[in-house]
Amino acid sequence: MLDFFSIISTIDIFGTCSQEVEATTNAMYAVGVGQPYQNVVTANFSASNTQTYQPPFGVQFNNLSSNAQSFFWSFGDGTFSNEINPYHVYTDTGFYTVTLIADGGNCGVDTIIFNDFISIQPNNPCVFIMPINGTGNIITACQGTLYDGGGPNGNYADMSDAIITISPTVADKITLSFTFFDIEPGSQLYCDYDYVKIFDGPDTNSSSFGRFCNTTGPPGTIESTGNSLTILLHSDQYLTRHGFVANWTCQIFNVLPINSCSGLIQFIDASLHNPTFWFWNFGDGNYSNQQNPIHEYTNNGTYNVTLIAGNNHGTDTLVLTNAVTINRLELPNIENDTICQNESAILTSVSNGTILWYYNFVDTVPFHIGDTLITEPLNQTTIFWAQNYIFTPSQYVGDTRSNIEGGYYNFSSVQYLVFDCYTDCKLVSVEVNANSNGNRTISLLDSSGTLITSRTVYVSQGISRITLNIQLPVQNNFRLAGPPYPNFWRNNLIAYFPYTLPGILSIIKSSRLNNPFGYYYYFYDWEIKLPDCSSAKVPVYVYVDNCTLYFRKKQNLSKSCR
């Protein structure tokens, strides 16, 4: 909380260079507070923090000017402010020169310029400041240091609720630890004045780890169950303290198996400090310089994977031992064939799956499906490619009560279901109940509400099944959202969350957390499909011989020329 003396030194409430200001300032100086009165304007300021490693970067500026009544700020990025103590968000990397012009009317004008005062560079420390009040930008860095709104040197503000969410998109888990903690004590054993509250999720509706202040002591080490933590700092109108300093790191899925039984692996780069180049060694003699490559392993086994990432400031190497295990289907068992010109070959497989046939190794769409292939007449030796394939069946999860009494066609706002995905799968379709015909846009959002993908589909009035075909990676707190209009059916009866396919997916809650019965929104009887399994492709040869009629009769051949 600001005291009277700090207020009057910044803004002269009686007017600049007035007798009241002179008398009051000298009186304070006489009792040992502040400096003697001067009838000149002095511009000066400080900031909550001046450097970080990536944008967006929010900075709270603290005006230290004297004998001034109005102010003009230039933040160095083409934006300006006339506020006394502005809060500004920088959105790009770079160095920014900040200028403050303090106008004191009769006392004069003073200007102060701090060159390259704000630094946002990849090699800077990862330091973040909570807002003074309100909700700050989501932090996506996988490690860093967090200060309360007062920054490294100031106190947090009074009469505020400051909120910040840490949510690295590639994280599996976040570990948060406090290295400094000074929050006003509560009454007796309870934190009821100022407190820090930590939530296990993307917002303050998530489950809480509890309230903490100097009465309880710091929270210690907090571990999230997903990829988000939210911190709330509440303060009342009285005492404020120095606040806190907290560090966090995240655990990352560096390797996400798309389908280990088909040999396809998605590699996710989670390197810090904005790398600009990558070199992957997949351990099977193949390489890639993409940031997030998909690689197909053709042979079963366990592989070490190496990533070299870097930028203009240097490189770093990560070696993951036994990172990938491949267990593909057995190869198709198909014999080569020999025919004469203009004859068809008959190729037959003995395998435990369905055989897909391709003209080329790189093809992804088969030209024939089945254990037996009868080729067109051939004039030259030809290579076909065969693959053993098992189609996985669909599974279903979610509430199925899409039209019972107690429901309601919702129209007020966008609502959604929250779900976790534990393995790579596809959301094929859902059942809905609409009150009219028309197009609807269905959206898949991440834990912070950022759009990942959407599908616009035509929906018939009444109950119907709509196809979405949305590929779901491993991630927590997805949101499947529907539009407020045209209206979908909401089940108002008790929803029995969670609805779970063990090891695959779990629908954990709806967007109406304040409803004790847990409304169930829109999307019923989800159709979920795991990836299909496949072997590597193998070549199958059809040899074409220039057979003569004499040769065929002599050898008594009916078809093959041997």
Side-chain angles (χ1 to χ4, degrees), residues 153-217:
N153 302 312
N155 290 7
Y156 58 85
D158 58 3
M159 292 293 292
S160 68
D161 284 292
I163 301 171
I164 198 78
T165 296
I166 302 171
S167 185
T169 55
V170 296
D172 174 39
K173 181 174 65 175
I174 301 170
T175 301
L176 179 73
S177 59
F178 287 78
T179 58
F180 176 82
F181 193 82
D182 183 20
I183 304 295
E184 179 189 9
S187 60
Q188 299 181 358
L189 300 178
Y190 186 64
C191 298
D192 52 353
Y193 298 148
D194 298 353
Y195 56 82
V196 170
K197 195 171 183 179
I198 304 171
F199 300 88
D200 187 18
D203 51 45
T204 54
N205 291 320
S206 307
S207 59
S208 171
F209 290 101
R211 292 185 179 189
F212 304 92
C213 62
N214 283 2
T215 299
T216 63

Side-chain angles (χ1 to χ4, degrees), residues 396-397 399-404 417 427-434 459 462-468 480 488-489 520-527:
Y396 295 84
V397 65
D399 202 329
T400 58
R401 301 171 295 171
S402 59
N403 66 338
I404 63 172
L417 293 175
L427 174 57
V428 180
S429 67
V430 295
E431 184 179 283
V432 295
N433 184 352
V459 181
I463 298 173
S464 64
R465 180 165 291 276
I466 58 174
T467 299
L468 299 177
L480 189 65
F488 277 145
W489 180 267
Y520 190 96
Y521 281 96
Y522 308 152
F523 307 114
Y524 301 87
D525 199 28
W526 295 21
E527 181 187 2

Side-chain angles (χ1 to χ4, degrees), residues 260-261 263 297-303 325-330 534:
S260 61
C261 67
Y297 289 86
T298 57
N299 297 315
N300 290 341
T302 300
Y303 300 90
T325 298
I326 304 299
N327 185 23
R328 303 191 71 164
L329 295 179
E330 294 181 357
S534 66

Side-chain angles (χ1 to χ4, degrees), residues 80-355:
F80 311 94
S81 175
N82 295 111
E83 297 180 21
I84 300 172
N85 298 300
Y87 178 81
H88 181 64
V89 177
Y90 290 88
T91 58
D92 293 308
T93 58
F95 295 94
Y96 298 96
T97 295
V98 180
T99 301
L100 171 61
I101 301 174
D103 188 344
N106 295 333
C107 286
V109 177
D110 190 32
T111 299
I112 189 168
I113 301 174
F114 289 162
N115 292 312
D116 295 337
F117 186 63
I118 302 298
S119 169
I120 307 174
Q121 296 294 315
N123 57 330
N124 284 341
C126 305
V127 177
F128 297 85
I129 310 294
M130 290 187 70
I132 294 293
N133 191 23
T135 302
N137 294 302
I138 294 175
I139 299 173
T140 59
C142 204
Q143 69 177 26
T145 299
L146 178 68
Y147 290 88
D148 62 88
N153 302 312
N155 290 7
Y156 58 85
D158 58 3
M159 292 293 292
S160 68
D161 284 292
I163 301 171
I164 198 78
T165 296
I166 302 171
S167 185
T169 55
V170 296
D172 174 39
K173 181 174 65 175
I174 301 170
T175 301
L176 179 73
S177 59
F178 287 78
T179 58
F180 176 82
F181 193 82
D182 183 20
I183 304 295
E184 179 189 9
S187 60
Q188 299 181 358
L189 300 178
Y190 186 64
C191 298
D192 52 353
Y193 298 148
D194 298 353
Y195 56 82
V196 170
K197 195 171 183 179
I198 304 171
F199 300 88
D200 187 18
D203 51 45
T204 54
N205 291 320
S206 307
S207 59
S208 171
F209 290 101
R211 292 185 179 189
F212 304 92
C213 62
N214 283 2
T215 299
T216 63
T221 299
I222 298 289
E223 289 191 350
S224 68
T225 59
N227 70 329
S228 300
L229 280 176
T230 298
I231 299 97
L232 163 68
L233 174 54
H234 169 82
S235 62
D236 59 18
Q237 69 271 31
Y238 298 109
L239 182 65
T240 63
R241 304 292 286 265
H242 293 300
F244 67 82
V245 183
N247 297 321
W248 81 90
T249 58
C250 68
Q251 177 179 309
I252 304 166
F253 281 115
N254 291 91
V255 180
L256 298 178
I258 290 179
N259 186 355
S260 61
C261 67
S262 70
L264 290 172
I265 299 293
Q266 168 82 72
F267 293 90
I268 302 296
D269 169 57
S271 306
L272 302 174
H273 302 302
N274 299 324
T276 55
F277 60 86
W278 303 264
F279 179 80
W280 294 86
N281 182 342
F282 301 122
D284 64 346
N286 291 290
Y287 311 91
S288 174
N289 57 9
Q290 297 179 3
Q291 182 178 9
N292 300 308
I294 296 177
H295 177 61
E296 181 179 1
Y297 289 86
T298 57
N299 297 315
N300 290 341
T302 300
Y303 300 90
N304 300 333
V305 178
T306 300
L307 169 62
I308 301 174
N311 55 25
N312 292 333
H313 303 282
T315 63
D316 192 26
T317 300
L318 172 67
V319 179
L320 298 175
T321 304
N322 300 328
V324 174
T325 298
I326 304 299
N327 185 23
R328 303 191 71 164
L329 295 179
E330 294 181 357
L331 297 175
N333 183 12
I334 306 173
E335 291 188 3
N336 299 327
D337 197 7
T338 302
I339 61 173
C340 294
Q341 286 181 327
N342 294 319
E343 289 186 339
S344 296
I346 300 176
L347 305 174
T348 302
S349 168
V350 179
S351 304
N352 60 349
T354 300
I355 302 303

Side-chain angles (χ1 to χ4, degrees), residues 340 343 552-553 555-561:
C340 294
E343 289 186 339
R552 294 185 63 186
K553 287 182 177 179
Q555 297 297 323
N556 194 27
L557 298 178
S558 61
K559 177 183 176 185
S560 299
C561 304

